[in-house]
Amino acid sequence: MAAARLPYRALEALFSFLDTSDLRSCSLVCKNWYRFLNDENNDVWRLHCVRKLAEEALKSDILSNVPTYKAKLRAFYHAWNPNDCSRNVYIKTNGFTLHRNPVAQTTDGARGKIGFKTGRHCWEVWWEGPLGTVAMIGLMTKDSPVQCQGYSPLVGADSNSWGWNLVDNHLIHNGDSQGNYPPLNNAPKYQVGERIRVILDCEDNTLAFEKNYEFLGVAFRGLPNTQLYPAVSAVYGNTEVSMVYLGPPLDG
């Protein structure tokens, strides 16, 4: 097969020219192409990364837990969706951080670009400003609103969202408290800048969280078999929230 005998430089030029959506098909052509594209840190992935991602994101520590160029690209494709957020929110030029404008008496949220219905997925979320009275992280379907009047736990406000309020450590679903989380007496409160890992298992239909590399336990069980999106909601003016998709959890 002639394709399998193409030299490294030719493959590099070919794959750098193609769109990233075509590269998965290319990896199925032959073993040689698969091996080439399976190197997540080669020059092809580096070039695609430089084209797609803002220089600010590549040079800052926002992607510090995403080790390869291909993984950084994947994180970008899973980042906050600028077309699926409150009108009082915008996504900063780094592509991974949302900024909530200082608008009174409103709660404002955002969803990730890609939802999940199968597999196991992990992403990091962290606040880079004050929490205010309500700061929710969790999941939404496409049916949940991303903006509401007043200050409320928007992620968790209806039957299509599940949230953890970092201010008072309460779990919220369908507008009701589901108890304290983590289930400890006097559990430590969230500190601005701490990265929380959100772990969605679509096979077991569970949502869990991890903080400071400590697994906090399952927060929600019995999630529906529908597309579920990373989500946050915030109430404090000029606060910022970043999200970076990591891929499958390290334990499998």
Side-chain angles (χ1 to χ4, degrees):
M1 184 178 180
R5 296 193 297 273
L6 287 174
Y8 181 95
R9 288 299 178 191
L11 290 177
E12 185 179 289
L14 171 64
F15 296 147
S16 297
F17 175 77
L18 294 175
D19 189 80
T20 51
S21 59
D22 298 319
L23 295 182
R24 178 172 172 78
S25 299
C26 291
S27 69
L28 303 176
V29 170
C30 63
K31 289 182 179 179
N32 191 38
W33 287 24
Y34 175 82
R35 280 194 298 267
F36 185 94
L37 291 170
N38 203 41
D39 177 1
E40 296 195 358
N41 251 338
N42 64 25
D43 282 345
V44 168
W45 293 116
R46 181 184 63 80
L47 287 167
H48 280 289
C49 208
V50 169
R51 286 177 193 154
K52 288 285 185 182
L53 273 67
E55 184 178 7
E56 174 190 350
L58 292 172
K59 288 189 173 181
S60 71
D61 67 351
I62 197 167
L63 297 173
S64 59
N65 290 332
V66 187
T68 68
Y69 288 119
K70 184 178 179 181
K72 294 179 197 299
L73 266 175
R74 185 166 54 232
F76 174 74
Y77 287 124
H78 285 80
W80 298 128
N81 188 344
N83 300 313
D84 194 9
C85 59
S86 165
R87 64 179 180 272
N88 299 320
V89 162
Y90 68 85
I91 310 305
K92 297 181 70 175
T93 55
N94 68 21
F96 296 91
T97 304
L98 67 80
H99 180 101
R100 182 193 178 271
N101 289 322
V103 180
Q105 291 299 319
T106 180
T107 301
D108 304 290
R111 271 183 284 260
K113 295 173 186 169
I114 295 178
F116 311 108
K117 192 176 180 180
T118 60
R120 302 178 73 223
H121 305 273
C122 179
W123 58 94
E124 291 182 325
V125 179
W126 65 99
W127 249 255
E128 298 183 68
L131 303 184
T133 55
V134 188
M136 304 296 298
I137 64 172
L139 298 170
M140 283 180 166
T141 70
K142 278 289 190 181
D143 297 318
S144 289
V146 290
Q147 194 270 335
C148 70
Q149 293 302 306
Y151 302 133
S152 67
L154 181 60
V155 179
D158 62 13
S159 61
N160 296 304
S161 60
W162 300 258
W164 177 23
N165 187 358
L166 299 180
V167 177
D168 62 11
N169 282 342
H170 281 179
L171 296 174
I172 308 291
H173 172 59
N174 207 17
D176 296 322
S177 173
Q178 307 295 306
N180 291 335
Y181 182 86
L184 304 169
N185 290 327
N186 300 315
K189 295 294 181 67
Y190 176 80
Q191 301 298 313
V192 171
E194 285 183 317
R195 295 193 182 206
I196 291 178
R197 291 194 174 185
V198 186
I199 303 166
L200 172 63
D201 190 329
C202 295
E203 311 311 317
D204 284 346
N205 303 101
T206 59
L207 179 67
F209 299 93
E210 184 181 280
K211 186 170 72 169
N212 297 327
Y213 300 100
E214 178 186 355
F215 183 69
L216 301 180
V218 172
F220 293 101
R221 301 180 186 275
L223 297 174
N225 292 311
T226 189
Q227 211 82 358
L228 299 170
Y229 293 79
V232 296
S233 62
V235 299
Y236 199 92
N238 291 322
T239 201
E240 297 183 342
V241 189
S242 296
M243 189 260 285
V244 173
Y245 179 77
L246 301 176
L250 291 178
D251 65 355

